Amino acid sequence: MKSTINKIFAHDDVCFNEERVARVFKKIKEDEITDAQYILLQADNVMLRKEYISQLSWCIVSDELISNIVALSMGKTVDIIAGSGFLSKKLRDAGMTVYANGPKEHVFDCDDFDYGIDFREDPVKIAKEYDTIILSWPPYYNDLARDIWMAMKPGAQMLYIGEWLGGCCANDAFFNALVPYPIKYYSIPHWPYIHDGLFVINKKGGQYD
């Protein structure tokens, strides 16, 4: 458990209590945990995730996520609604060149944190300028994710981090727009009861191996 905790939470920028993290990631077995303990575990998970989001990122910025993005990115890359910029910072620490766009109207809980935002432009307007678009946890209450996808140039790719259709980010308009295109899924560490993953979506068509 400790190595997993270190991989996910031992960032130099912020310190999480390991005992609390261990409780959250404790494997739940019906014959080992009471209803009351389950409720407490859920509450602690929610509070810890809220802290992580407010200081770092909506997704867990794990070693697995970073290594996958570094390996999959091609050409000029932008983290297009970067929030605090923490994911971009960790990608840069891994040797990758990535630009972080943090438009204020799309920075929900990270207003007080800036880990290296490069510019604050309309994400739809700049999407056509890049070969790889990193899109992490876009809002589900508007068509922003769909509009970014539609603005991307042919041959570009999107690295989408979030839940899939029916989840808590993006919306049906986005997922419907992806139907003709090849999609490859990568499992990444995620919060209990949250089902996000890394999805590579290729706008040039064709098939993945």
Side-chain angles (χ1 to χ4, degrees):
M1 176 61 69
K2 189 169 183 180
S3 64
T4 301
I5 292 169
N6 287 343
K7 282 184 179 181
I8 296 175
F9 295 95
H11 298 305
D12 295 337
D13 314 81
V14 66
C15 181
F16 288 90
N17 182 285
E18 289 196 2
E19 182 181 350
R20 292 181 61 208
V21 177
R23 277 205 308 276
V24 171
F25 280 86
K26 174 181 170 65
K27 185 175 182 180
I28 299 172
K29 294 183 180 178
E30 290 182 3
D31 59 347
E32 290 183 359
I33 193 164
T34 67
D35 290 342
Q37 288 173 321
Y38 182 82
I39 292 169
L40 288 173
L41 183 67
Q42 284 276 64
D44 208 29
N45 171 36
V46 169
M47 292 306 297
L48 187 63
R49 180 170 179 260
K50 184 177 180 181
E51 290 178 27
Y52 193 91
I53 289 170
S54 70
Q55 299 178 49
L56 301 178
S57 169
W58 279 79
C59 65
I60 292 176
V61 183
S62 61
D63 291 345
E64 291 91 334
L65 177 61
I66 295 299
S67 61
N68 276 326
I69 292 177
V70 170
L72 293 165
S73 294
M74 63 178 192
K76 191 176 178 183
T77 300
V78 63
D79 184 359
I80 202 159
I81 48 172
S84 69
F86 184 71
L87 173 58
S88 294
K89 176 186 183 301
K90 289 302 180 182
L91 290 169
R92 289 166 180 158
D93 290 347
M96 181 176 165
T97 299
V98 58
Y99 299 93
N101 181 43
K104 275 293 183 182
E105 63 270 27
H106 301 303
V107 180
F108 303 107
D109 297 282
C110 301
D111 288 338
D112 296 329
F113 294 87
D114 184 344
Y115 294 97
I117 297 296
D118 298 299
F119 38 80
R120 301 187 182 279
E121 302 292 339
D122 178 355
V124 176
K125 186 177 293 185
I126 68 171
K128 63 180 178 293
E129 301 173 13
Y130 292 86
D131 304 298
T132 298
I133 304 288
I134 300 170
L135 181 64
S136 178
W137 277 81
Y140 62 83
Y141 53 78
N142 61 32
D143 293 334
L144 178 63
R146 190 276 310 272
D147 293 345
I148 291 171
W149 171 257
M150 297 301 291
M152 289 168 54
K153 62 187 178 182
Q157 67 173 359
M158 176 179 284
L159 305 185
Y160 168 75
I161 306 163
E163 295 188 304
W164 201 243
L165 184 64
C168 295
C169 48
N171 63 15
D172 289 359
F174 171 66
F175 295 110
N176 289 338
L178 303 181
V179 170
Y181 298 95
I183 300 168
K184 192 166 185 177
Y185 166 75
Y186 293 82
S187 178
I188 55 175
H190 55 82
W191 294 97
Y193 321 110
I194 302 296
H195 306 290
D196 50 348
L198 171 63
F199 300 84
V200 185
I201 310 152
N202 186 337
K203 206 171 183 182
K204 65 182 178 182
Q207 297 294 322
Y208 285 108
D209 295 332

